[in-house]
Every structure is written in C-alpha cells, then in structure tokens.
Amino acid sequence: MTPRLSRRGFLGVLGGAVAVAGLAGCGAVGLDTPAGQTGEMLTSAVPLPAPYRVPLPIPAVARPTGTLGGADLYEITQLAADVEIIPGLRTTIWGYDGTFPGPTFETRSGRPVVVRHTNRLPVPTVVHLHGGHTPSDSDGWPLDLVLPVGDTSNWAHVHNGVPMVGNTIAGTREHHYPMSQRAATLWYHDHRMDFTAPNVYRGLAGMHLVRDDVEDALGLPTGDHELPLFVCDRAFAADGSFDYPSLDRTLRTVPGVEDRYVSGVLGDVVLVNGAPWPVHEVDGTRYRLRIVNGSNARRYSFALRVPGGPDLPFTQVGSDGGLLAAPVRQTALDAAPGERFDVVVDFAAVPVGTEVTMVNTLGTGSTADVVRFHVVRAARDDSRVPARLADDVAPLVPGPVVREFAFGRGAVGDTRGWTINGRAFDPNSSLADIPLGQVETWRFRSDVHHPVHVHLDPFQVLARDGKPPRATDVGWKDTVDVLPAEIVDVAVRFTDLAGRYVFHCHNLEHEDMAMMATIRTV
C-alpha cells in the first residue's frame, strides 16, 4: 500500500522525485514517465473496453432560465451523479448539472451573461471561465469558495502560517461575464485552492463557445457538422470509480497527491466528451472540430489516420483566443493541458465507408487511441473556409523583455515544491502590477513541461529559444506549452478590467502544489 503523506511531506519528497529528471529532453519526472510527458501513469484496475464501440456523446447545450439586470441568466447545479462511462460499470462523477462534461454554453459576444452556480457537492468549489475576459470578482479566484449548501464548516486556509482569505459564500454564487470578447472556444472548470486537480478529475469541467457576427459570416461548418471534442484521460478503480491518488480521498482537508504522482497524473483511458475512445458517423463533408485538452497533465499530438493512405490534414481556423487571421494547414496538433484548437476537417477527401481515426502520437497502448470518424454517406456541403478569417489579429509590438518568470522546483516554506521565480503562490502579494493597455514582453523559462496559462486576456507567442514560434502557436493564446529547458517569449496586453488575477501552470498537480502567482492589472 502506498503510504500517505502530509502536505509538508509530499512537498518534501518533490525535490527528490524531480531530481532524477534534471533537464532531460523528454521532461521526464520519475522513472516511469512516458516520453513527451511530465507525469506518472495510473493503470486502471478494470478491463478496458475495445476502442471505437461507444457512440460519441454530444453534451447538452445550456439554456438561459431568464434575465438578470439585462444579462442572460443561466443556473447550474454542481452535484454528484452515477453514470456509465466504462460499459457495464457505474462511476460517480461530480458534474455541472450532474453531467461530465457539463453543459456547453453558447453565448454571443457583447451580450452579457450571468451564471448562477449552486454547490450541492460535499466540498467547496470555485468556477473559472478559462479564456474569459472576466471581472476579477467573477474570474474564479482560487480562494473565492462556494461552500456546499447548508455547510457551516470552517474552510479557512493557512499556509506556512499565513492566512489565505477569499470571498467565501455559502451555497450559491453568481458569475458575471460581460462577454466583451471575440468569438472563441472557451471552457469552464473548477479552480479551488489546492484541490483543482482532483475536482476537475472527478468531472467539474465543460465547454463554452462564444459566437459573433464576424464568425457567422464566414460560412464555416455549423449545426451537426460542428463537433465539440472535450478530450481528457482518466483511470478507473476496480469498483468503476475514478482512480485518483489524493492524500485525502474526501478532498476536504489535506491537499496533494501520493509521492509518486507529484509531477502530474496520467490516466490510461482517453475520454472524448466523457466516453472512452468513441466513434461518430459523419457525412462526406467538412466538419468543424472544437478541441479542448481538458486533461490534468497529459499532452497530446493529434493526427488523423486514414487506412492505406496519407493522414488527413487539419485546417486550423482558431486558437485559444478565437479566429486566426487566415487558415493554417496543420498535419498534427500538439496540445498541452488547457489549450484549444478550432479546426476544419474535410471528410469528402476520403471515400464513403472510410474510417478516419484521430490518434495521439505521443501515446502508447491505450493512450494512442482517441476517437474514430466513420464516413457513412455523401452529402451536399454548403460550408467553406475563406482565405481571410479575421482582421483583428495584428501582431502586438512590444518593447524588450520586461518580465521573466521561471517555472521550476523551489522552496515552498521550508519544503520543496513547484514555484514561479522560486516563490510559492501568495495571494496577498503581487508578482507583477501591469498597467492596462500596456504591451509587454514576458519570458517564460521552464525546467520540465509547463503549460502556462494567463487569466483575463490572451497573448501572442513571439519566439521559442530565440527562434520563430511553432506552427500551432498562431493567433491569440492564453495557454502556451513551454517545453523542458525552453524559453518562450510572449506579448501580453491586458485591457478594460483592473483587479487581481493569477497565472499558473496548467498541469493541475503543479498548480495545486503552489505553481501559481498573483498579478494585478492597474
């Protein structure tokens, strides 16, 4: 049996766990870390189903229940539910409206939204709209807890003798989203201090699509030919439950994971929209795929395999922050946790009857499979991908590097942990105060893989190790995959909203173990 550790204990072993890795090219932390990953594999204790037998689910679309102060009002209840994920077994999820993923929001740029979340789970929660241009009091500050309905427990945080205080509310919180942003593929997920990783792992995540008139006029595939694909990995215990190595399986008191998994948790089952390796029947036409990497730590390299023929290309039309200036042909999509890709795939390029399989070339065994598309019929296609998509992706023109942030091992109190500039997360002090409207160059340095996510506004990737960005770095980004021992420069500009925000590593185990920093926009 793996021994349990206190928070101090698990942070203490972190230094030893990562020391074996150094700055190895694959970024491995621990002896069994798969190449291209930072994390350790959990092996399911149940027989895994054959891939491509379960139909691809399409999450329900959230519907407003009314209006509030001129904004569309949505009401979501966070609750536990027993669902069938592995055929023949029941899994208890924590879900938005009791589903995994949660309902997909479809909102419009310029039309304000209020989402009223009610917590009927046994633990506090925090909701963050990832990619949202959101006031700080609705952004999902990690200490702005929503306590369970009727719970009067003391959930105060004290770290290294320093009290961490947020705006705690019992039962229900309203999040106000002005939607003053361009059309984009966003997602929402839990952001609770110290417990983001296990809360998301249990199911607290969903997609949010912002639409606008510019996008509507392009003629991209719509309706049944637009597919949300929320991709994540999980492992399952013998009773069918999600297997996650929390120190405290109730997720109420002691944060953190067993010592083997401090670098990140990787599962051996790839889920798409909550189903293991699903299959979907498609017409021989163009399809728009809205891809979210919702995994805790797993990185993917997606490719579209055609039996006996070349891979189908992706035509990328959007990134984290919305439409690109022009479409970009991609042969593969390298996706770190938190990243999104908006792509068009033309299934008319293969004969009817072809099975096109989206694979993960960073995976082996069960993690190499993702989802299959079976082209079942020819059909009329009125969609198109115009040569020009958007006119508001002009390059930002920053000055020289003004801020550097090193992501790596460091001191967390009197122990070792994951830090930014050698500092553990401190909600009471700002690592940077940034004037609104000012364009700055930020430099991210890494020891191992760190997908860096910045709240409030997207940025543009300028360079990797002084060289041009990767092909998939195009457009507006809010999450960038910083590779082992790499330096990535980005151009940052915050607008409109002054307040307190965070940026952090989106390897959720790293985030929970202090790799997060407070910033203020002023």
Side-chain angles (χ1 to χ4, degrees):
M1 183 176 191
T2 304
R4 304 289 181 179
L5 300 176
S6 66
R7 176 172 176 81
R8 175 170 295 188
F10 90 74
L11 289 173
V13 301
L14 181 58
V18 297
V20 300
L23 295 176
C26 69
V29 178
L31 298 178
D32 299 326
T33 296
Q37 307 291 348
T38 294
E40 295 292 334
M41 178 79 79
L42 274 167
T43 301
S44 294
V46 299
L48 300 183
Y52 315 130
R53 299 291 187 271
V54 178
L56 174 72
I58 304 298
V61 175
R63 302 297 182 190
T65 59
T67 59
L68 184 66
D72 292 330
L73 174 65
Y74 294 81
E75 298 184 82
I76 297 290
T77 302
Q78 304 166 11
L79 48 84
D82 288 337
V83 301
E84 185 177 82
I85 297 176
I86 301 297
L89 294 175
R90 306 298 292 181
T91 301
T92 298
I93 66 161
W94 291 357
Y96 297 112
D97 279 353
T99 65
F100 170 55
T104 298
F105 286 81
E106 295 191 11
T107 62
R108 293 201 66 83
S109 178
R111 185 175 180 87
V113 165
V114 174
V115 183
R116 179 181 293 155
H117 280 270
T118 299
N119 180 10
R120 295 193 177 277
L121 294 167
V123 300
T125 59
V126 175
V127 179
H128 169 54
L129 178 57
H130 184 127
H133 184 69
T134 305
S136 60
D137 58 1
S138 289
D139 184 61
W141 180 254
L143 288 155
D144 285 352
L145 305 179
V146 179
L147 303 185
V149 171
D151 193 332
T152 59
S153 303
N154 180 7
W155 293 93
H157 281 69
V158 179
H159 285 193
N160 300 309
V162 178
M164 294 190 171
V165 180
N167 179 20
T168 297
I169 293 177
T172 299
R173 183 187 300 277
E174 291 176 354
H175 291 259
H176 294 256
Y177 302 133
M179 307 317 301
S180 54
Q181 59 189 103
R182 59 208 303 270
T185 304
L186 313 183
W187 64 301
Y188 63 105
H189 59 81
D190 190 78
H191 211 258
R192 175 190 170 198
M193 180 73 189
D194 292 343
F195 291 92
T196 293
N199 280 8
V200 172
Y201 198 90
R202 293 196 184 191
L204 288 173
M207 295 182 66
H208 186 132
L209 306 180
V210 184
R211 303 190 184 280
D212 65 15
D213 294 342
V214 172
E215 178 192 72
D216 291 347
L218 294 177
L220 299 172
T222 60
D224 291 341
H225 290 180
E226 181 183 32
L227 297 176
L229 299 178
F230 185 88
V231 183
C232 61
D233 59 331
R234 298 290 186 267
F236 293 83
D239 62 358
S241 63
F242 286 135
D243 189 11
Y244 186 85
S246 296
L247 295 178
D248 174 9
R249 296 301 171 106
T250 70
L251 306 188
R252 294 181 65 85
T253 54
V254 180
V257 290
E258 296 168 0
D259 57 354
R260 179 182 174 88
Y261 299 97
V262 294
S263 59
V265 174
L266 308 173
D268 62 349
V269 178
V270 177
L271 303 176
V272 182
N273 296 350
W277 310 291
V279 62
H280 189 67
E281 292 186 350
V282 297
D283 298 332
T285 60
R286 297 183 191 89
Y287 276 72
R288 185 179 184 182
L289 308 182
R290 313 290 287 261
I291 303 171
V292 175
N293 181 356
S295 298
N296 280 29
R298 181 174 294 281
R299 302 170 65 251
Y300 301 85
S301 184
F302 298 117
L304 292 171
R305 291 285 153 81
V306 177
D311 291 354
L312 271 186
F314 301 96
T315 299
Q316 185 179 355
V317 296
S319 188
D320 300 340
L323 292 170
L324 307 181
V328 178
R329 179 186 172 100
Q330 309 283 12
T331 56
L333 302 174
D334 292 339
E339 288 190 292
R340 286 92 67 206
F341 288 92
D342 187 355
V343 298
V344 173
V345 175
D346 189 0
F347 291 109
V350 298
V352 171
T354 301
E355 293 181 331
V356 179
T357 304
M358 183 185 289
V359 300
N360 168 30
T361 61
L362 286 180
T364 58
S366 62
T367 63
D369 295 306
V370 181
V371 61
R372 176 167 288 170
F373 302 100
H374 186 194
V375 184
V376 296
R377 67 185 71 84
R380 178 179 174 178
D381 190 355
D382 295 325
S383 71
R384 64 192 184 99
V385 179
R388 187 71 183 173
L389 297 170
D391 294 325
D392 56 353
V393 199
L396 297 178
V397 183
V401 174
V402 296
R403 305 185 198 273
E404 293 196 22
F405 301 105
F407 290 74
R409 300 171 296 283
V412 180
D414 57 358
T415 62
R416 294 282 290 174
W418 295 106
T419 63
I420 301 176
N421 286 356
R423 298 171 57 180
F425 176 57
D426 180 358
N428 301 316
S429 66
S430 173
L431 202 58
D433 289 356
I434 304 99
L436 289 172
Q438 179 169 291
V439 181
E440 298 187 349
T441 299
W442 288 11
R443 173 163 290 172
F444 300 140
R445 297 177 179 269
S446 68
D447 55 356
V448 295
H449 289 105
H450 295 298
V452 178
H453 171 49
V454 179
H455 286 219
L456 180 59
D457 274 308
F459 51 77
Q460 294 176 358
V461 181
L462 300 174
R464 288 180 177 271
D465 286 336
K467 300 175 183 178
R470 299 187 308 197
T472 49
D473 288 331
V474 290
W476 291 104
K477 300 281 293 172
D478 58 52
T479 306
V480 62
D481 187 16
V482 186
L483 304 182
E486 188 175 40
I487 297 173
V488 175
D489 292 342
V490 302
V492 176
R493 179 184 61 195
F494 297 105
T495 60
D496 305 326
L497 301 170
R500 181 175 63 170
Y501 295 89
V502 294
F503 71 102
H504 56 85
C505 178
H506 221 281
N507 178 319
L508 298 185
E509 283 72 41
H510 294 186
E511 176 187 339
D512 279 351
M513 291 181 283
M515 190 170 260
M516 183 159 55
T518 302
I519 57 173
R520 288 191 297 246
T521 54
V522 295

